[in-house]
Amino acid sequence: MPRRSLLAGAMLTLAATASIATAAVDVAGVSFEDSSNVAAQSLTLNGAGVRTRIMFKVYAMGLYLPQRTDTPTAIQNLPGSKRIRIVTLRDLGTDQFIDALIEGLKKNHPPEALASIQPSIDAFRNAMLTLKEAPKGTEVLIDWIPGGGTRLTVGGTRRGDDIPDERFYAALLRIWLGEQPADNDLKKRLLGSAT
């Protein structure tokens, strides 16, 4: 009888460990699964955190990559699909949201680099502005699809055409992972640090 109890206990421990390994990460009440699929490629959650501004929680964000890595340079150079998942934590106007993204681009790129991707910035901005607002709980997916481009999906609906310039997706990543990130704590968390 004791042997069965030990076996049952061991099985329960293994089951609990397995469920922890596949459990979603909770960020400010938003669940981020450990994996996601983009263009038939399985991606792993590299990190997730909250973007705060003047003490207000603005959105929760997760970064999905083909494999975990902890440096911005390695992320930029990693081949394959990528996903940025953002869920708003308060009501936002889309003009407010896109203006913050463009400000992040300006902080992390010299003017000539921005000028070279301006058509992509304009296309992304126009796709976002087809929405008037992003109420609390709006999901924004910004995917890199090899051979396709940057794809924007908001609330489950694809917005605009894919933007083929790979430099644009790399530029977007620098908003959160660049030398002057939108939020230093969020940058650390997206890079996989819990502190």
Side-chain angles (χ1 to χ4, degrees):
M1 195 70 162
R3 186 177 242 168
R4 282 187 184 172
S5 296
L6 285 173
L7 183 59
M11 291 181 74
L12 284 172
T13 301
L14 284 173
T17 303
S19 70
I20 288 169
T22 60
V25 174
D26 183 275
V27 177
V30 177
S31 181
F32 288 89
E33 296 299 325
D34 278 349
S35 62
S36 190
N37 281 293
V38 173
Q41 183 175 5
S42 180
L43 303 179
T44 299
L45 181 64
N46 200 68
V50 175
R51 165 71 169 112
T52 57
R53 189 166 187 174
I54 316 170
M55 304 298 289
F56 293 105
K57 293 179 180 179
V58 182
Y59 53 78
M61 178 179 171
L63 176 62
Y64 290 86
L65 302 171
Q67 64 190 50
R68 285 193 175 97
T69 186
D70 61 359
T71 67
T73 302
I75 289 170
Q76 294 283 356
N77 295 329
L78 200 60
S81 300
K82 297 178 177 108
R83 167 167 282 173
I84 296 165
R85 178 175 179 243
I86 295 171
V87 179
T88 59
L89 298 175
R90 56 192 306 110
D91 295 344
L92 298 173
T94 51
D95 54 344
Q96 177 185 19
F97 185 77
I98 195 68
D99 286 348
L101 293 182
I102 290 171
E103 183 61 28
L105 287 170
K106 288 179 180 177
K107 284 183 177 179
N108 288 283
H109 298 85
E112 60 275 11
L114 282 183
S116 73
I117 59 168
Q118 192 61 51
S120 297
I121 294 170
D122 292 341
F124 189 82
R125 184 177 192 280
N126 291 337
M128 278 297 295
L129 291 177
T130 60
L131 302 160
K132 298 301 178 201
E133 57 188 3
K136 180 179 178 180
T138 299
E139 180 186 64
V140 178
L141 301 177
I142 308 171
D143 295 333
W144 172 252
I145 299 168
T150 299
R151 178 172 295 170
L152 175 65
T153 306
V154 182
T157 301
R158 190 169 157 184
R159 299 286 172 174
D161 294 328
D162 292 350
I163 300 168
D165 190 345
E166 189 168 4
R167 296 173 304 164
F168 176 64
Y169 199 86
L172 286 175
L173 285 171
R174 285 188 201 98
I175 293 170
W176 300 281
L177 302 176
E179 291 296 316
Q180 296 185 60
D183 184 308
N184 283 305
D185 183 63
L186 176 58
K187 176 179 177 176
K188 290 176 190 172
R189 292 180 182 278
L190 293 175
L191 293 174
S193 173
T195 58

